[in-house]
Amino acid sequence: MIKDAGIIGRIRAYVTTGHADWEEVQEGLLNSWKGDIENSYVLLYADRDATCFISHVRFPTDVKLLSESR
């Protein structure tokens, strides 16, 4: 079990600050998964952030739930 809650963020920060050649990473992944990938001639650009998150999440309190249900 990993007990360091911040390790993922530190790894992402390390990798995104120029410590990885994304074209080389994509080429390696493509070579490994070549038979499973359609359109293997299309490469993604590493300057795009693919982070996904829900932006409107809040903790549902009883008062908020009652108010929204009426």
Side-chain angles (χ1 to χ4, degrees):
M1 178 179 232
I2 298 174
K3 296 184 180 191
D4 184 0
I7 193 168
I8 300 299
R10 286 196 308 278
I11 290 171
R12 289 185 66 209
Y14 177 82
V15 170
T16 58
T17 56
H19 291 94
D21 180 4
W22 289 110
E23 289 185 26
E24 186 177 328
V25 169
Q26 288 181 354
E27 191 173 324
L29 292 172
L30 180 60
N31 288 334
S32 296
W33 298 338
K34 201 167 214 147
D36 299 323
I37 297 176
E38 295 177 19
N39 304 325
S40 62
Y41 55 87
V42 177
L43 289 178
L44 302 174
Y45 293 101
D47 63 341
R48 308 288 188 254
D49 185 9
T51 303
C52 296
F53 61 94
I54 300 171
S55 59
H56 299 288
V57 174
R58 61 171 175 68
F59 186 76
T61 62
D62 291 340
V63 173
K64 289 178 187 175
L65 290 172
L66 284 172
S67 176
E68 291 174 358
S69 67
R70 57 183 170 99

